[in-house]
Amino acid sequence: MSCMEPRTPSVCMSNMTHMALRLHPGQDPLAELERLAVEHGIEAACVLTCAGSLTKACLRFANSPHATELQGHFEILSLTGTFSRHGSHFHIAIADGQGRTIGAHLLPGSAVYTTAEIVLGILPDLRFLRTHDSQTGFPELDIQTIAKE
């Protein structure tokens, strides 16, 4: 059953379990979260918190069709998003050595500097799909409930 109604907020209730992980130097946060979702058959999850650092950030800024790659040393101030084995949507905020902060969509190709300590919320009663939305033209979150056996 879909919780998605056109032009109304999509609201579905679920219990939540948690998963904690640490990424190591050189690992790509987006690739590792997507791999984890497939490996564990995760149907619906969100990032609850993330603290860490990057040496490379692959980003797509708001309303831009192009990727931007930043090299240097960055603190991860926030990583947020929804994901499942069916797809993902992540945003990240990072700060450089002078504390200048930028935020954008997280794309594949970023690299952890020292660590990324991530806590996830797993929603076992839901399924997150990415369905084409004719209003936006993009694959958007389609929240479905998972029928109990």
Coordinates of all heavy atoms in Angstrom, one line a residue, residues 19 33-45 83-86 122-124 126-127 146:
M19 N 21.2 1.1 13.5 CA 22.5 0.5 13.0 C 23.5 1.5 13.1 O 23.3 2.7 12.7 CB 22.3 0.0 11.6 CG 23.5 -0.7 11.0 SD 23.3 -1.2 9.3 CE 22.1 -2.5 9.4
L33 N 26.9 3.3 2.0 CA 25.5 3.2 2.4 C 24.6 2.5 1.5 O 23.8 1.7 1.9 CB 25.0 4.6 2.7 CG 25.6 5.3 4.0 CD1 25.2 6.8 4.0 CD2 25.2 4.6 5.2
E34 N 24.8 2.7 0.2 CA 24.0 2.0 -0.8 C 24.4 0.5 -0.8 O 23.5 -0.3 -1.0 CB 24.2 2.6 -2.2 CG 23.5 4.0 -2.3 CD 23.6 4.6 -3.7 OE1 24.5 4.3 -4.4 OE2 22.7 5.5 -3.9
R35 N 25.7 0.2 -0.7 CA 26.1 -1.2 -0.6 C 25.5 -1.9 0.6 O 25.0 -3.0 0.6 CB 27.6 -1.3 -0.5 CG 28.2 -2.7 -0.5 CD 29.6 -2.8 -0.1 NE 29.9 -2.2 1.2 CZ 29.7 -2.8 2.4 NH1 29.1 -4.0 2.4 NH2 30.0 -2.2 3.5
L36 N 25.5 -1.2 1.8 CA 24.9 -1.7 3.0 C 23.4 -2.0 2.8 O 23.0 -3.0 3.3 CB 25.1 -0.7 4.1 CG 24.7 -1.1 5.5 CD1 25.8 -1.9 6.2 CD2 24.4 0.1 6.3
A37 N 22.7 -1.1 2.2 CA 21.3 -1.3 1.9 C 21.0 -2.5 1.1 O 20.1 -3.3 1.4 CB 20.7 -0.1 1.3
V38 N 21.8 -2.8 0.1 CA 21.6 -3.9 -0.8 C 22.1 -5.2 0.0 O 21.3 -6.2 0.0 CB 22.5 -3.8 -2.1 CG1 22.5 -5.1 -2.9 CG2 21.9 -2.7 -2.9
E39 N 23.2 -5.1 0.6 CA 23.7 -6.3 1.4 C 22.8 -6.8 2.5 O 22.6 -8.0 2.7 CB 25.1 -5.9 2.0 CG 25.8 -7.1 2.7 CD 27.2 -6.6 3.2 OE1 28.0 -6.3 2.3 OE2 27.3 -6.5 4.4
H40 N 22.1 -5.8 3.1 CA 21.2 -6.2 4.3 C 19.8 -6.2 3.9 O 18.9 -6.4 4.7 CB 21.5 -5.2 5.4 CG 22.8 -5.4 6.1 ND1 23.0 -6.4 7.1 CD2 24.0 -4.9 5.9 CE1 24.3 -6.3 7.5 NE2 24.9 -5.4 6.7
G41 N 19.5 -6.0 2.6 CA 18.1 -6.0 2.1 C 17.2 -4.9 2.8 O 16.1 -5.1 3.1
I42 N 17.8 -3.7 3.0 CA 17.1 -2.6 3.7 C 16.1 -2.0 2.8 O 16.4 -1.6 1.7 CB 18.1 -1.6 4.2 CG1 19.0 -2.2 5.3 CG2 17.4 -0.4 4.7 CD1 20.1 -1.3 5.7
E43 N 14.8 -2.0 3.2 CA 13.8 -1.5 2.4 C 13.5 0.0 2.7 O 13.0 0.7 1.8 CB 12.5 -2.2 2.6 CG 12.5 -3.7 2.1 CD 12.6 -3.8 0.6 OE1 12.1 -2.9 -0.1 OE2 13.1 -4.8 0.1
A44 N 13.8 0.5 3.9 CA 13.7 1.9 4.2 C 14.6 2.3 5.4 O 14.6 1.6 6.4 CB 12.2 2.2 4.6
A45 N 15.3 3.4 5.2 CA 16.2 3.8 6.2 C 16.5 5.3 6.1 O 16.2 5.9 5.1 CB 17.6 3.1 6.2
F83 N 17.1 6.3 2.3 CA 17.7 5.4 1.3 C 17.1 4.0 1.6 O 16.5 3.7 2.6 CB 19.2 5.3 1.4 CG 19.8 4.8 2.6 CD1 20.4 3.5 2.6 CD2 19.8 5.5 3.8 CE1 20.9 3.0 3.8 CE2 20.4 5.0 5.0 CZ 20.9 3.7 5.0
S84 N 17.3 3.2 0.6 CA 16.9 1.8 0.6 C 17.7 1.0 -0.4 O 18.5 1.6 -1.2 CB 15.4 1.6 0.4 OG 15.1 1.8 -1.0
R85 N 17.4 -0.3 -0.6 CA 18.1 -1.0 -1.6 C 17.6 -0.6 -3.0 O 18.1 -1.0 -4.0 CB 17.9 -2.5 -1.4 CG 16.5 -3.0 -1.5 CD 16.4 -4.5 -1.1 NE 15.1 -5.0 -1.3 CZ 14.6 -5.6 -2.4 NH1 15.4 -5.7 -3.4 NH2 13.4 -6.0 -2.5
H86 N 16.5 0.2 -3.0 CA 15.9 0.7 -4.3 C 16.4 2.1 -4.7 O 16.1 2.6 -5.8 CB 14.4 0.8 -4.1 CG 13.8 -0.5 -3.6 ND1 13.7 -1.6 -4.4 CD2 13.3 -0.9 -2.4 CE1 13.2 -2.6 -3.7 NE2 12.9 -2.2 -2.5
I122 N 16.5 2.3 10.8 CA 15.9 1.4 9.9 C 14.5 1.3 10.2 O 14.1 1.1 11.3 CB 16.6 0.0 10.0 CG1 18.1 0.0 10.0 CG2 16.1 -1.0 8.9 CD1 18.8 0.6 8.8
L123 N 13.6 1.4 9.1 CA 12.2 1.4 9.3 C 11.6 0.2 8.7 O 11.3 0.1 7.5 CB 11.6 2.7 8.6 CG 12.2 4.0 9.0 CD1 11.9 5.1 8.1 CD2 11.8 4.3 10.4
P124 N 11.5 -0.9 9.5 CA 11.1 -2.2 9.0 C 9.7 -2.4 8.4 O 9.4 -3.3 7.7 CB 11.3 -3.2 10.2 CG 11.2 -2.3 11.3 CD 11.7 -0.9 10.9
L126 N 8.3 -0.1 6.4 CA 8.1 0.7 5.2 C 9.1 0.2 4.1 O 10.1 -0.4 4.3 CB 8.4 2.1 5.5 CG 7.6 2.8 6.6 CD1 8.0 4.2 6.8 CD2 6.1 2.7 6.2
R127 N 8.7 0.7 2.9 CA 9.6 0.5 1.7 C 9.7 1.8 1.0 O 8.7 2.5 0.8 CB 9.0 -0.5 0.8 CG 9.8 -0.7 -0.5 CD 9.1 -1.8 -1.4 NE 9.2 -3.1 -0.8 CZ 8.1 -3.8 -0.4 NH1 6.9 -3.4 -0.6 NH2 8.3 -5.0 0.2
I146 N 4.7 -2.0 4.3 CA 5.0 -3.5 4.0 C 3.9 -4.2 4.8 O 3.8 -4.1 6.0 CB 6.4 -3.9 4.4 CG1 7.4 -3.1 3.6 CG2 6.6 -5.4 4.3 CD1 8.9 -3.4 4.0

